[in-house]
Amino acid sequence: MNYISKNKIPISCLCSIYKYTKSNEFLLSIKSLLLQKYIPSEIIIMIDGPINNKLQKNLDCLLKKYPNLIRRKVLNKNFGLGSSLREGIKLCKNELIARFDTDDINLKDRLVEQYQYFKNDRELIILGSYIKEFNYLKNNKIFSRIKKVPLLNESIYKFLNKRNPINHPTVMFRKSSILKAGSYSDMDYFEDYYLWLRCKKMNYKFLNIATPLVAMKRKDNLDRRHGLIYAYKEILFLKSCFKENIISTNYIFIFRL
């Protein structure tokens, strides 16, 4: 992967890894950024507590191979995604930050397409997209579907009262505005949704692109939204939202026991 000969755009790509991050998926996600038509000027990797030896070895290889592109910060214990991303944003040198998950694949035009939206619209603060979900079937075939979300700011604002209208692994945003809104918080399972609701309170402009820019593997339809732990975390999330008056009572509980 000869990234040196490629054109760079002033975007910081931000992710977080922890002990359960799968090494092979992590490498694929990084590769998908390096194979972009225009690559980011930096990739920030937050290490949320101790990680396994295989993951550490692959990370060390990446840092050695791309010393001027990839940077990391090690947290001394596992603080959780919200806290990890909060620290990561502070490290990003660019105003535009692209979130990416280490088990997803960024499609080749993701960064440049989102970058053009921000260049053309100075009021735009948060930009996501459709997502392509897939999983492998027993007959070696691949099942896929497009996860659609509301596109325009007005429809996104309405949807925010009920559910999260932003596919988190696709999002790109302006650093300064996110910091003004309070950045990510320690809100397990709802780190991004809680942030978007506070951004709505700031009257920030949202948009989604009606094209899948990220491919995401799904193991099952429930994903992680089930069980007593999730239900408890959802109640804590709603309690904070109602206290801050940032969500409607029309919110739909989405946990399953």
Side-chain angles (χ1 to χ4, degrees), residues 164 183-187 190-199 237 240-241 244 246:
N164 188 348
S183 194
Y184 286 94
S185 300
D186 184 17
M187 185 68 70
F190 297 91
E191 300 91 352
D192 56 322
Y193 192 7
Y194 188 46
L195 175 56
W196 311 146
L197 287 168
R198 286 181 281 120
C199 288
F237 161 69
S240 295
C241 290
E244 298 176 42
I246 57 175

Side-chain angles (χ1 to χ4, degrees), residues 189-244:
Y189 300 119
F190 297 91
E191 300 91 352
D192 56 322
Y193 192 7
Y194 188 46
L195 175 56
W196 311 146
L197 287 168
R198 286 181 281 120
C199 288
K200 177 187 174 185
K201 192 174 183 178
M202 301 281 289
N203 293 316
Y204 289 168
K205 183 176 181 179
F206 293 75
L207 285 180
N208 278 313
I209 300 173
T211 303
L213 297 181
V214 173
M216 171 191 290
K217 183 180 178 182
R218 283 295 189 191
K219 294 181 180 179
D220 56 63
N221 292 330
L222 293 181
D223 192 22
R224 62 180 182 178
R225 296 190 175 100
H226 60 90
L228 291 174
I229 294 177
Y230 185 89
Y232 173 70
K233 297 293 186 180
E234 188 167 19
I235 290 170
L236 291 180
F237 161 69
L238 287 174
K239 185 178 179 180
S240 295
C241 290
F242 290 143
K243 183 178 180 180
E244 298 176 42

Side-chain angles (χ1 to χ4, degrees), residues 107-118:
L107 302 182
K108 66 175 183 178
D109 293 327
R110 179 199 168 180
L111 296 181
V112 67
E113 186 163 347
Q114 289 185 300
Y115 180 67
Q116 289 299 328
Y117 269 80
F118 280 99

Side-chain angles (χ1 to χ4, degrees), residues 122-172:
R122 293 187 177 183
E123 294 183 355
L124 179 60
I125 304 298
I126 299 155
L127 177 65
S129 77
Y130 287 178
I131 208 165
K132 185 174 184 179
E133 296 180 325
F134 69 94
N135 57 15
Y136 298 101
L137 304 178
K138 293 182 179 180
N139 57 5
N140 293 323
K141 293 183 179 180
I142 297 176
F143 166 81
S144 66
R145 73 181 183 97
I146 304 301
K147 183 181 177 184
K148 297 181 179 181
V149 283
L151 299 177
L152 301 179
N153 190 59
E154 183 179 356
S155 57
I156 290 172
Y157 266 45
K158 289 180 180 179
F159 204 85
L160 274 164
N161 287 323
K162 303 175 183 179
R163 297 283 292 274
N164 188 348
I166 305 293
N167 289 319
H168 195 201
T170 73
V171 77
M172 185 181 289

Side-chain angles (χ1 to χ4, degrees), residues 48-106:
D48 193 15
I51 58 177
N52 62 70
N53 291 334
K54 184 178 180 180
L55 183 58
Q56 183 65 61
K57 182 178 179 180
N58 285 326
L59 176 60
D60 290 341
C61 288
L62 285 172
L63 291 167
K64 184 177 181 180
K65 190 172 184 179
Y66 306 111
N68 298 319
L69 177 67
I70 299 176
R71 293 190 289 130
R72 67 175 169 184
K73 180 174 182 178
V74 180
L75 303 179
N76 58 13
K77 67 176 183 178
N78 179 246
F79 288 96
L81 181 61
S83 296
S84 181
L85 294 179
R86 184 184 184 91
E87 292 302 309
I89 286 177
K90 298 175 185 177
L91 293 177
C92 294
K93 296 179 179 179
N94 296 303
E95 170 69 356
L96 291 180
I97 299 175
R99 270 283 296 120
F100 73 100
D101 280 351
T102 56
D103 53 356
D104 297 334
I105 298 171
N106 299 277

